[in-house]
Amino acid sequence: MFNVTAFLKRLVIGRALRSEELGETLLPKRLALPIFASDPLSSVAYATQEILLVLTLGGLAYLHFTPWIAGAVVALMTVVVLSYRQVVHAYPSGGGSYEVASANLGPGAGLVVAASLLVDYVMTVAVSVASGVDNIISAVPELAPERVPMALAFVALLTAINLRGVRESGRTFAAPTYLFVAGVLLMVGTGLFRYLLGDAPVAATAAYGIEPDPADADLAGLALVMLVLRAFSSGCTALTGVEAISNGVPAFRRPKPRNAAATMAAMGIIAVTMFAGVTTLAIVAKVHIASDPCRLTGLPDCASYPQRTVIAQLAAAVFGGESSIGFYYVQAVTALVLILAANTAFNGFPLLASILAQHRYLPRQLHNRGDRLAFSNGILALAIVAALLLWTYEANVTSLIHLYILGVFTSFTLSQTGMVRHWNRELRTERDRALRRRHHVARIINATGAVVTFLVLVVVLATKFTEGAWLAVLAAIVLWLMMRGIRRHYDATSAELAATDPRGELAPPSRVLGIVLVSTLHKPTLRALAYARSFKPDRLEALTVAVDRGEAAALQRRWDESGIDVPLKVLDSPYREITSAVMTYVRSVQRTGPRDAVAVFIPEYVVGHWWENVLHNQSALWLKRRLLLVPGVMVISVPWQLTSSARAARPAARAPGSVRRGEPAARRRA
């Protein structure tokens, strides 16, 4: 019979893949770049804007700091990219910052990195999708009331695409990412070429002034320094997602470290070029943007003014207005790539969660691969949390951005510090002069990265903590404590279950008492009795509870008349309670000997419709849950398949082995 659920699943996710096909999902560099680098590449769409939004809090007076702040961001990005290239070569197994910090600074530091990155991955999805929706609204302002539904719909779409597997998502996202890069570079190149010819593009907002925010007017001294630092920390959003390639090295084709390092270098060059170009063009075109449109002077009606993003203003200025093909092209690919930039998190979060689950810091289900060999549980967890965040903050980029980038710089700082320790350890044992020189250079790069990113982390904390970053800090702390608690639980469980005396544990019980629970005399009861007999217990009896004395007496008569040679014990229950009567009796017979075992056989109906479960098996399920808590009691379900269960018995729609855990051992060894 046609199964609608299975059909829809196959339609959305695709056919199930065998574990042996994992190698076919490995990525060439041309697909790895849009998958792992879409976040840092797309960040240029809003990094410049975030710098300008902070500087214009003081009006137009402080916009001359823009090139200096952009230069600092470019220098920082260069240092971070060079540092992470060292991580890729030194730790190619895919743990990235988490593995580096754990191996060199200890498990506690590794968990700090992991918690920070997991929080930041969630923020990446939320901010990227919200920013993409912003750019759509910039092109079509009438869609503004549908901001939140649009954002949630895009999260659902990204989830479905990623559930199809890494390679499938790479094919989907490659074209938009490359079209975005081409569009931005064309816009920057055209604009700067016009500037050199003396025909500089001018933004539509160049004619407007900006009133300073009352709290930031006439700044001087320390207050001015704090404003510049706030602008710098906001511009550092351009670095989000840089570490994703180091986490995803196992997804590359061989040679994995070299291909990953080459992809990271390409990402760094493209991102720096685009960010520097957009910022330069924004200065040339005199783009004016404010956190509140009513602070723009010269507007006839600020309340209804649809303030456009920096990218939108530049595209309109360069390509000839808001009705030009170039404007709509840039807006379309920008919106698309910003939404797809969340894919960096959809690849990084599940992979990191899988590694943490393998190390017993997160539930083991997060290490399972789904039908398409993707870490489906991690993908779904990320989507749910990001969707809740978008709904809570109404998909507002300005509100979400304050929770952003804190985790990135925490992981940057700890991983680079760990790499310094790694090279110190290597230098203590390495005797080859050429390799020692390379290790010294690598240590200098990582030490520089550690110092610079630590200073940036301090700046980000100082400037964003009270604006909402405290929530990201709190979330990371809670996640850190939760992961420690999960690891303690798994360790305690492993210690409790460890076989310290295998020979002694294999000793059989001295006596086995079999009990078959009976509600009435019918086929399921008789099957349970027959199955219990096959175990040949030392004693076997049937047990029923007299909720209604008349029905119990009738059952006893039928039992005797049937000639069943298993005694039926009737428990009296004046308060009509079945569970407590059975539990009391089982405990009483179980205490007769320290090595005695009790096997309780429970007849159960197997149904084919979900609603039939409401009508059957409730007493049996509750009894089973309670009996499982009693030491020395074995609970055995004896199924009876009702006619309706026939449809559920047909072969599964997916490949054999429906419970899949992690990567096949053969692939891990390879």
Side-chain angles (χ1 to χ4, degrees):
M1 187 177 293
F2 181 71
N3 189 320
V4 177
T5 304
F7 171 76
L8 291 175
K9 183 178 180 181
R10 294 281 77 83
L11 183 66
V12 174
I13 299 176
R15 71 173 181 88
L17 297 178
R18 300 178 65 87
S19 298
E20 293 79 8
E21 297 179 79
L22 182 64
E24 298 175 17
T25 67
L26 297 179
L27 300 169
K29 295 189 289 293
R30 70 178 186 280
L31 291 182
L33 182 65
I35 285 179
F36 292 111
S38 56
D39 182 22
L41 292 180
S42 67
S43 296
V44 302
Y46 53 81
T48 301
Q49 177 171 305
E50 292 304 316
I51 294 173
L52 296 178
L53 282 172
V54 174
L55 291 177
T56 53
L57 290 173
L60 298 177
Y62 306 116
L63 286 180
H64 64 277
F65 287 111
T66 303
W68 300 101
I69 293 171
V73 172
V74 166
L76 178 62
M77 184 180 291
T78 304
V79 170
V80 169
V81 169
L82 290 174
S83 299
Y84 269 98
R85 279 174 54 86
Q86 310 302 320
V87 173
V88 164
H89 286 292
Y91 293 91
S93 61
S97 299
Y98 164 70
E99 185 178 356
V100 172
S102 297
N104 297 286
L105 303 177
L111 281 189
V112 171
V113 170
S116 301
L117 282 176
L118 290 176
V119 171
D120 210 71
Y121 281 138
V122 174
M123 295 309 308
T124 295
V125 176
V127 171
S128 296
V129 170
S131 185
V133 171
D134 257 4
N135 276 270
I136 293 174
I137 293 172
S138 289
V140 189
E142 293 79 12
L143 293 175
E146 309 302 325
R147 180 186 300 272
V148 175
M150 287 170 61
L152 297 179
F154 283 126
V155 171
L157 177 63
L158 287 167
T159 304
I161 293 173
N162 278 278
L163 287 173
R164 295 185 67 90
V166 175
R167 193 176 180 88
E168 289 277 350
S169 64
R171 291 194 184 101
T172 304
F173 301 151
T177 303
Y178 288 126
L179 289 173
F180 168 74
V181 171
V184 170
L185 292 179
L186 177 63
M187 179 185 73
V188 169
T190 303
L192 295 180
F193 183 69
R194 286 178 53 185
Y195 171 72
L196 293 175
L197 294 179
D199 179 30
V202 179
T205 56
Y208 303 142
I210 301 180
E211 292 181 357
D213 187 282
D216 295 288
D218 301 322
L219 296 175
L222 183 60
L224 180 58
V225 171
M226 289 302 295
L227 180 72
V228 173
L229 290 177
R230 282 169 62 191
F232 172 68
S233 64
S234 293
C236 286
T237 53
L239 278 77
T240 56
V242 168
E243 81 293 337
I245 291 176
S246 67
N247 292 333
V249 177
F252 283 80
R253 285 182 177 172
R254 292 183 179 85
K256 295 174 185 287
R258 191 172 73 185
N259 286 336
T263 304
M264 181 163 281
M267 177 269 294
I269 293 169
I270 295 170
V272 164
T273 303
M274 290 168 63
F275 172 72
V278 168
T279 305
T280 303
L281 193 58
I283 296 170
V284 168
K286 297 181 172 60
V287 171
H288 293 164
I289 189 169
S291 55
D292 180 3
C294 288
R295 287 180 34 234
L296 293 172
T297 59
L299 284 177
D301 182 13
C302 66
S304 60
Y305 176 69
Q307 187 172 216
R308 302 192 186 279
T309 62
V310 168
I311 287 287
Q313 293 188 44
L314 291 177
V318 170
F319 295 119
E322 297 172 359
S323 59
S324 63
I325 294 176
F327 170 78
Y328 279 108
Y329 171 81
V330 170
Q331 285 305 101
V333 294
T334 300
L336 190 57
V337 81
L338 280 169
I339 293 166
L340 298 183
N343 194 60
T344 297
F346 271 103
N347 282 279
F349 182 100
L351 185 58
L352 178 57
S354 168
I355 294 170
L356 290 167
Q358 191 176 16
H359 295 172
R360 299 187 296 181
Y361 288 114
L362 285 178
R364 289 173 179 169
Q365 293 87 339
L366 292 171
H367 188 51
N368 296 353
R369 290 186 184 270
D371 284 353
R372 301 287 294 180
L373 299 177
F375 295 111
S376 304
N377 293 330
I379 292 170
L380 293 172
L382 173 62
I384 291 169
V385 178
L388 287 173
L389 205 59
L390 285 164
W391 179 74
T392 302
Y393 285 89
E394 298 180 344
N396 187 298
V397 177
T398 305
S399 300
L400 290 166
I401 204 75
H402 298 306
L403 310 178
Y404 207 20
I405 78 172
L406 190 66
V408 169
F409 283 99
T410 303
S411 65
F412 283 173
T413 302
L414 290 175
S415 67
Q416 300 314 307
T417 304
M419 285 301 295
V420 173
R421 281 198 173 185
H422 168 80
W423 296 124
N424 287 341
R425 188 168 59 249
E426 292 292 315
L427 285 167
R428 281 196 293 269
T429 58
E430 185 59 61
R431 294 292 176 263
D432 185 272
R433 289 187 177 182
L435 285 177
R436 285 183 64 84
R437 281 196 299 271
R438 288 168 59 182
H439 291 347
H440 276 297
V441 172
R443 185 174 62 174
I444 291 171
I445 292 172
N446 289 127
T448 305
V451 172
V452 172
T453 53
F454 174 73
L455 293 175
V456 175
L457 177 62
V458 172
V459 170
V460 171
L461 273 174
T463 58
K464 289 184 175 289
F465 190 82
T466 57
E467 296 180 354
W470 64 270
L471 189 58
V473 174
L474 179 62
I477 292 172
V478 170
L479 192 55
W480 185 85
L481 292 172
M482 184 187 76
M483 290 191 290
R484 297 264 299 190
I486 291 172
R487 177 59 187 263
R488 280 197 300 270
H489 168 77
Y490 278 134
D491 287 347
T493 303
S494 296
E496 184 179 346
L497 299 180
T500 55
D501 181 18
R503 288 180 178 271
E505 296 292 338
L506 284 173
S510 55
R511 291 173 67 252
V512 177
L513 169 63
I515 298 175
V516 179
L517 298 185
V518 177
S519 60
T520 187
L521 186 56
H522 52 13
K523 290 180 179 179
T525 299
L526 296 175
R527 174 177 288 183
L529 282 168
Y531 188 64
R533 276 177 168 171
S534 68
F535 276 74
K536 298 180 181 179
D538 295 285
R539 195 174 99 212
L540 178 63
E541 63 184 24
L543 183 68
T544 189
V545 180
V547 175
D548 183 295
R549 286 192 173 91
E551 291 181 0
L555 174 61
Q556 183 71 71
R557 283 195 303 272
R558 286 193 62 198
W559 195 271
D560 295 337
E561 292 169 358
S562 300
I564 300 173
D565 59 355
V566 176
L568 174 65
K569 186 172 185 61
V570 180
L571 300 179
D572 189 37
S573 180
Y575 295 103
R576 301 160 305 282
E577 173 59 50
I578 297 175
T579 304
S580 61
V582 173
M583 293 293 295
T584 301
Y585 179 75
V586 169
R587 285 196 175 99
S588 69
V589 298
Q590 194 260 342
R591 292 196 192 100
T592 56
R595 290 187 54 79
D596 287 359
V598 179
V600 181
F601 298 84
I602 304 178
E604 284 189 47
Y605 305 142
V606 178
V607 299
H609 304 100
W610 65 267
W611 51 267
E612 289 180 285
N613 282 308
V614 180
L615 306 178
H616 303 286
N617 294 325
Q618 298 308 305
S619 297
L621 290 172
W622 181 246
L623 263 171
K624 187 191 299 184
R625 281 195 291 266
R626 294 292 303 276
L627 287 168
L628 287 171
L629 298 174
V630 183
V633 175
M634 318 303 161
V635 183
I636 303 160
S637 296
V638 183
W640 181 270
Q641 291 80 12
L642 295 177
T643 305
S644 63
S645 67
R647 69 169 57 191
R650 64 179 174 275
R654 58 188 177 189
S658 58
V659 177
R660 294 170 289 272
R661 175 166 295 145
E663 192 172 336
R667 295 292 179 187
R668 288 198 300 269
R669 287 193 297 270

